[in-house]
Amino acid sequence: MIKELMTTDVLVVGSGIAGLKVSMELAKAGQSIIMSTKTQLCSGSSFFPLKASLGTQVTKNDEDKGVFLEDIDAVSHHMQDREMARIYIDEIRDRVEEFPEIGIEPYKLSDDRKACFANHGRTIYMLKDWNKIRENVTEIIDHYPNITLMERTAVISLVKQDGRVAGAILLNRDNDFIMINCKAVVLASGGFGNIYKHNLNPNDVDGSGHILALEAGASLVNMEFIQFIPGFTSPKYKTLWGEHTLNYCKDFVDEDGNSILDSVLPEGLSKQECLIIRSTHGPFTNSLPSKYFDIAMMKEIFRTKSEDGFELLYDPEIYKNKSDFYTIYLNWLEERGINLIKDKMKIAPFAHASNGGVKIDSYGRTGVPGLYAIGELAGGIEGANRLGGNSTGACMVFGKRAAQNCLEYAESIERLEINPHQVTTQLTQEIHAFSADTQNTMTPHDVMDAVREIMWFQGNVIRNEKNLQTALNEIKELKASFNMGIFTNTIKERKSAFKARNFLILSDLLLKAMLQRKESRGAHYREDYPFEDEAYSKRLVISRIDNDIKLDFEADRMSV
């Protein structure tokens, strides 16, 4: 089964900002690196721009540190790791200076600006021109002979020996099984938006790193806090909607021209007030009265079973606003052939970012010796809501810290010899566990499409016990209809077979987490428990013990 054995000091899984930062830091220190990426160099959400630029929020001065921490505390609703937030605030100013080392030339905005959900304005550095960044990165990588790039590869299992990570199994670009023998693995494979039918992510953001970490003995945290952002369904599907444009929106209507907000707004909240508040933040949150904007969409989707989206009626005055805040976005839309006045602009909720992930400490350690997690894959400074402008910066801050600790770890140990026969046996057992006793099996793509459909309808903005339990039963039925072994024996289908398996595991975890948190907090909205409950002011941790999945609320709210 294993066609080739490769050795390296560290295997880095992912080539977005987090993967690039940790790889180059370790390579500078003399470590040999294999960087595995499912698609091409510079991939994942870091290089799937949904607008003209991405921002990194930076502490503007020493006096801002306490205020910045208060902003993170307020938006996170006690679900963040406060120590990691403090470290981000202390170190981000130095880390943005290191963007050019990984091929990114950011530009600093001339004035302070409030990031999404932030209560105070602060320094923002903007990242743009993704093709140029990819060219820069390619040139930089060429100067690191100790970095081996493996594109079109998928890591499907981690190998543990003597209680620590000693390697990994991956499928190469030809779908052959390859074994990597290494001292440490850094997972930087991103979130899991692709598990949803409608999402604002590339196909490689599929949650595979979460399953790798969980099965290796790490835990997951805050998985129920998923960021949903309205995206355009028309005129150009999967394009990010700019919430600030609501300042020029006259109404929000269904296909018959009826306002969809009228029936959901509570007494005392006007339509215009709702739109103004909603213009200040991109993702849905239960924390603000603007939640009814997103709830209205999902209620209509449930009622009509239509996914066409809902029309925003814009005032032509929007094109007279000449501030950069508007012109940059409007010009970006124009480049894509979109005009807010001339076109019928329809939006619907799209899955975007996971606020939770692999439970780590401030050095990216997972609790499993030799295994690190960074970037969107990791659960850290984000909580019930995600403060805008922190995600790209966190890749730099914790990518640097993970590299520092990983270097110390790798230099302190010897590489373990791996028994290929034992690895093959482990892999065979994993495949067998997802090989239902049926020859009339669903295909991997049928399984993934069915999971995406279930998650988008039942695990979207509005959640309740009945729908979540129904979804869990449907996932169970899908697993019973999938004979994974048939497809792993077919070379062309191997990667999709493992991806379908991961979807079945991950969707089950997500739905159970949504079911267990019987309250509404930040990005998590339970229609049957619409209020925040102090009894749930603890993070929900998912672990795997003796092949059984356990979900428990933390007894201790200190950092991991």
Side-chain angles (χ1 to χ4, degrees):
M1 180 180 282
I2 305 297
K3 187 166 184 178
E4 183 181 356
L5 172 64
M6 302 176 68
T7 61
T8 190
D9 290 324
V10 181
L11 169 65
V12 176
V13 185
S15 67
I17 292 175
L20 293 173
K21 180 60 176 173
V22 75
S23 294
M24 293 182 191
E25 289 289 333
L26 287 167
K28 280 193 300 185
Q31 297 292 294
S32 60
I33 308 297
I34 289 178
M35 185 192 295
S36 169
T37 177
K38 298 189 199 81
T39 54
Q40 62 178 331
L41 181 66
C42 301
S43 59
S45 293
S46 297
F47 292 91
F48 188 71
L50 293 164
K51 51 185 179 178
S53 57
L54 285 177
T56 298
Q57 186 175 201
V58 175
T59 315
K60 58 183 179 182
N61 51 44
D62 288 344
E63 290 71 32
D64 182 45
K65 289 182 178 181
V67 178
F68 199 168
L69 189 58
E70 288 174 4
D71 274 358
I72 294 175
D73 287 345
V75 77
S76 298
H77 287 253
H78 309 294
M79 295 295 111
Q80 83 284 19
D81 184 313
R82 205 164 192 268
E83 174 64 10
M84 290 183 67
R86 184 192 62 75
I87 287 168
Y88 177 91
I89 290 165
D90 284 344
E91 299 185 5
I92 183 58
R93 279 192 287 175
D94 292 333
R95 296 294 82 80
V96 293
E97 300 297 328
E98 296 170 359
F99 266 128
E101 295 178 13
I102 65 169
I104 297 172
E105 299 285 350
Y107 65 96
K108 180 181 176 182
L109 293 183
S110 57
D111 56 340
D112 291 346
R113 185 170 297 173
K114 286 184 181 180
C116 182
F117 290 132
N119 292 321
H120 302 86
R122 54 184 46 90
T123 307
I124 303 288
Y125 284 80
M126 304 303 293
L127 286 58
K128 64 176 185 176
D129 198 347
W130 315 105
N131 289 332
K132 176 60 177 173
I133 293 172
R134 186 172 282 112
E135 291 175 8
N136 294 344
V137 171
T138 301
E139 185 176 331
I140 292 169
I141 290 285
D142 286 342
H143 288 88
Y144 284 107
N146 50 338
I147 297 180
T148 300
L149 176 64
M150 297 185 69
E151 296 179 310
R152 312 291 173 187
T153 61
V155 178
I156 57 172
S157 183
L158 298 180
V159 179
K160 284 179 70 179
Q161 194 164 304
D162 295 345
R164 64 182 173 93
V165 169
I169 305 298
L170 60 79
L171 290 168
N172 66 8
R173 64 170 59 239
D174 297 318
N175 281 353
D176 294 319
F177 291 103
I178 303 296
M179 186 164 73
I180 307 291
N181 187 191
C182 58
K183 295 180 178 180
V185 173
V186 181
L187 298 174
S189 52
F192 51 79
N194 191 242
I195 202 172
Y196 282 87
K197 182 178 182 181
H198 301 294
N199 66 81
L200 295 174
N201 299 111
N203 288 338
D204 58 335
V205 180
D206 58 12
S208 59
H210 298 76
I211 306 306
L212 289 171
L214 186 68
E215 294 185 336
S219 297
L220 308 177
V221 66
N222 282 349
M223 294 294 282
E224 65 273 32
F225 298 118
I226 304 162
Q227 184 170 285
F228 289 90
I229 294 183
F232 286 117
T233 58
S234 176
K236 192 174 181 65
Y237 177 72
K238 205 167 177 173
T239 301
L240 184 67
W241 165 74
E243 69 276 2
H244 56 295
T245 62
L246 277 184
N247 288 311
Y248 291 89
C249 184
K250 295 181 287 188
D251 207 345
F252 191 28
V253 301
D254 62 18
E255 60 182 12
D256 297 321
N258 301 313
S259 176
I260 69 168
L261 284 171
D262 290 340
S263 63
V264 300
L265 290 179
E267 187 176 349
L269 180 66
S270 72
K271 187 184 304 181
Q272 203 55 41
E273 285 173 325
C274 180
L275 293 176
I276 289 172
I277 298 169
R278 192 62 185 81
S279 73
T280 65
H281 60 95
F284 165 80
T285 179
N286 177 68
S287 308
L288 296 170
S290 49
K291 64 186 177 182
Y292 297 104
F293 181 88
D294 306 76
I295 289 171
M297 283 191 283
M298 282 311 301
K299 281 187 174 294
E300 281 297 296
I301 289 167
F302 289 153
R303 186 182 68 82
T304 63
K305 304 302 180 187
S306 171
E307 302 164 57
D308 291 342
F310 305 95
E311 187 178 0
L312 294 161
L313 303 180
Y314 283 107
D315 188 326
E317 290 293 312
I318 190 171
Y319 282 93
K320 295 181 181 179
N321 189 320
K322 299 304 179 183
S323 69
D324 286 349
F325 199 42
Y326 283 87
T327 57
I328 290 174
Y329 178 66
L330 295 176
N331 290 342
W332 181 77
L333 289 179
E334 290 284 357
E335 290 170 6
R336 283 148 185 79
I338 300 171
N339 184 284
L340 297 182
I341 304 302
K342 298 176 183 177
D343 298 314
K344 181 173 283 193
M345 309 305 302
K346 287 188 172 185
I347 63 172
F350 283 66
H352 181 223
S354 50
N355 292 357
V358 181
K359 189 178 180 185
I360 62 169
D361 69 5
S362 61
Y363 288 98
R365 293 176 294 198
T366 64
V368 179
L371 181 61
Y372 298 79
I374 52 174
E376 190 186 341
L377 170 72
I381 66 171
E382 313 297 352
N385 296 312
R386 171 184 287 261
L387 190 65
N390 283 1
S391 55
T392 51
C395 291
M396 298 294 288
V397 170
F398 298 107
K400 177 97 167 188
R401 292 174 68 86
Q404 291 170 338
N405 191 270
C406 184
L407 175 63
E408 294 175 9
Y409 175 82
E411 290 182 337
S412 70
I413 62 168
E414 296 294 327
R415 188 182 294 108
L416 294 174
E417 293 297 324
I418 302 176
N419 186 325
H421 176 71
Q422 290 180 348
V423 172
T424 299
T425 300
Q426 173 189 327
L427 190 59
T428 302
Q429 290 172 346
E430 291 175 3
I431 294 170
H432 180 72
F434 269 79
S435 298
D437 187 17
T438 177
Q439 294 302 306
N440 188 26
T441 178
M442 295 180 70
T443 69
H445 290 287
D446 286 344
V447 169
M448 288 187 283
D449 286 346
V451 170
R452 290 184 179 109
E453 185 89 4
I454 292 167
M455 290 303 299
W456 194 77
F457 275 104
Q458 313 292 24
N460 198 297
V461 170
I462 298 177
R463 304 161 188 176
N464 60 58
E465 184 170 356
K466 179 183 176 182
N467 289 347
L468 292 171
Q469 195 59 62
T470 297
L472 280 166
N473 293 336
E474 290 173 346
I475 296 297
K476 186 176 180 180
E477 290 172 5
L478 288 177
K479 181 181 176 183
S481 304
F482 180 48
N483 190 334
M484 182 182 179
I486 290 176
F487 299 100
T488 54
N489 289 329
T490 305
I491 292 178
K492 285 180 63 177
E493 296 280 8
R494 280 178 183 163
K495 285 194 180 84
S496 59
F498 278 96
K499 184 170 180 175
R501 168 190 179 271
N502 290 343
F503 269 32
L504 289 169
I505 297 172
L506 184 59
S507 59
D508 183 76
L509 298 176
L510 292 172
L511 292 165
K512 286 177 177 175
M514 295 171 190
L515 191 61
Q516 188 136 336
R517 184 171 289 280
K518 292 180 172 64
E519 66 158 357
S520 294
R521 184 184 295 261
H524 174 67
Y525 174 66
R526 283 287 297 265
E527 187 177 35
D528 45 353
Y529 296 96
F531 303 107
E532 191 168 305
D533 187 339
E534 278 304 303
Y536 289 91
S537 59
K538 300 174 182 179
R539 300 194 301 176
L540 182 58
V541 178
I542 303 172
S543 54
R544 185 172 180 257
I545 302 172
D546 297 328
N547 293 323
D548 290 329
I549 298 299
K550 305 291 184 183
L551 288 84
D552 297 293
F553 286 100
E554 283 182 320
D556 182 4
R557 278 300 295 116
M558 299 298 288
S559 60
V560 297

